[in-house]
């Protein structure tokens, strides 16, 4: 694709436009998109218009822009994440029905935990996680599982970078994080009280595919002082059945 005068490719600029949309910023004007993407106004308006014509973005009656259904359609075709979600969903529903708390599915994406699904009920407690939202690996129970069972290069990248504090009990010391990861590998799950919010405890277990590798984490968000044993029992069962649906025979 042709480069801009600054040397950026069309692909770079397209990605910057799409990344201006977030789980909490779903509708924008073309001018706002251009400002957030760091593009000249004329360039932003032209690109937005082309993306609308292609169906990747949509324009509402007030001429505000949102992600188009065509983009969703393309993203879900033959998607590994969609196959994983479909395999996990019946078992997640069972967990959520049994424990009555938030039940989540996350994968590793660009050194973060990306949440593919979350099931909740009206009585579920506080939870900052959103579908298609991300959390740092060191700060969430799902992230701790993905990190503990991830590659050594992944672990070193995370351990050598600043560990952002999300709550008073978020692990921000590299040595303490190394110890926590060793514990997760030893016991086979993560328990993270107060790591994201002081009022909650996250618990997570690994999901394996046909190769035996950990490809996802199933987690639950419990009230801070709740007993974790029942949730872990249900999560382990759900993770095992999800793995079997994906071909795991361990």
């Amino acid at each position: 694709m042709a480069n801009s005068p600054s040397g950026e490719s069309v692909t770079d600029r397209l990605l910057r436009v799409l990344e201006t949309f977030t789980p909490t910023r779903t509708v924008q004007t073309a001018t706002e998109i251009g400002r957030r993407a760091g593009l000249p106004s004329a360039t932003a308006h032209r690109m937005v218009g082309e993306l609308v014509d292609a169906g990747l973005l949509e324009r509402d009656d007030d001429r505000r822009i949102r992600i188009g259904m065509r983009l969703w359609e393309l993203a879900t075709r033959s998607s590994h994440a969609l196959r994983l979600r479909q395999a996990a969903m019946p078992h997640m529903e069972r967990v959520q029905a049994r424990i009555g708390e938030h039940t989540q599915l996350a994968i590793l994406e660009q050194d973060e935990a990306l949440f593919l699904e979350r099931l909740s009920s009206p009585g579920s407690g506080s939870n900052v996680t959103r579908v298609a939202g991300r959390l740092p690996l060191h700060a969430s129970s799902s992230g701790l599982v993905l990190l503990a069972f991830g590659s050594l290069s992944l672990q070193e990248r995370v351990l050598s970078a600043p560990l952002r504090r999300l709550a008073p009990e978020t692990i921000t010391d590299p040595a303490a994080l190394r110890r926590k990861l060793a514990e997760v590998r030893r016991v086979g799950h993560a328990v993270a009280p107060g790591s994201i919010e002081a009022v909650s405890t996250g618990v997570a277990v690994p999901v394996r595919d046909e190769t035996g590798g950990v490809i996802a984490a199933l987690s639950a968000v419990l009230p801070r002082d709740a007993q974790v044993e029942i949730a872990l029992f249900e999560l382990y069962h759900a993770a095992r059945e999800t793995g079997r649906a994906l071909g795991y025979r361990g």
Side-chain angles (χ1 to χ4, degrees):
M1 292 186 177
N3 288 346
S4 69
S6 66
E8 276 191 315
S9 70
V10 173
T11 302
D12 291 333
R13 286 176 285 167
L14 171 61
L15 183 60
R16 283 164 56 192
V17 166
L18 296 177
E19 286 182 336
T20 64
F21 293 91
T22 72
T24 57
R25 187 195 301 134
T26 59
V27 179
Q28 308 177 80
T29 66
T31 299
E32 290 170 338
I33 291 171
R35 184 178 70 252
R36 289 172 177 138
L39 295 172
S41 179
T43 300
H45 279 78
R46 183 180 70 253
M47 291 189 68
V48 167
E50 292 173 353
L51 291 169
V52 168
D53 291 342
L56 302 181
L57 296 178
E58 295 175 351
R59 184 178 280 118
D60 65 19
D61 293 340
D62 296 323
R63 301 192 63 77
R64 296 176 302 175
I65 308 300
R66 67 180 73 246
I67 295 292
M69 290 300 295
R70 179 65 172 164
L71 185 59
W72 171 84
E73 178 187 3
L74 293 172
T76 54
R77 285 183 183 175
S78 301
S79 167
H80 171 71
L82 179 62
R83 175 172 172 257
L84 171 60
R85 179 185 174 278
Q86 288 173 335
M89 183 61 77
H91 311 297
M92 292 179 64
E93 289 173 344
R94 180 179 183 273
V95 174
Q96 204 280 323
R98 293 288 183 89
I99 69 174
E101 302 292 347
H102 305 287
T103 305
Q104 307 170 147
L105 176 67
I107 60 172
L108 176 68
E109 170 64 17
Q110 295 182 340
D111 293 0
E112 292 180 302
L114 172 64
F115 289 84
L116 302 183
E117 187 56 83
R118 186 187 89 174
L119 302 180
S120 304
S121 64
S124 300
S126 178
N127 187 6
V128 301
T129 305
R130 299 172 179 270
V131 174
R134 295 170 179 260
L135 285 174
L137 294 176
H138 70 282
S140 64
S141 59
S142 293
L144 289 169
V145 164
L146 295 169
L147 185 57
F149 293 99
S151 67
L152 290 177
S153 60
L154 168 67
Q155 294 171 19
E156 291 308 316
R157 282 198 304 275
V158 172
L159 285 160
S160 63
L163 300 174
R164 182 161 58 97
R165 186 182 299 279
L166 275 67
E169 292 173 82
T170 305
I171 300 174
T172 58
D173 175 62
L177 181 56
R178 284 187 188 276
R179 292 192 295 272
K180 183 66 174 180
L181 297 178
E183 172 193 298
V184 172
R185 287 189 292 270
R186 184 178 69 255
V187 301
H189 60 260
V191 178
S195 186
I196 297 292
E197 293 185 290
V199 297
S200 302
T201 292
V203 293
V205 302
V207 177
R208 299 179 185 273
D209 66 5
E210 67 276 8
T211 70
V214 173
I215 58 164
L218 272 175
S219 65
V221 180
L222 311 175
R224 175 58 185 268
D225 296 326
Q227 297 295 313
V228 303
E229 288 78 10
I230 293 176
L232 281 171
F233 175 84
E234 296 294 343
L235 288 170
Y236 271 121
H237 178 78
R240 183 170 59 251
E241 293 304 310
T242 299
R244 287 175 177 169
L246 296 171
Y248 179 55
R249 293 294 177 262

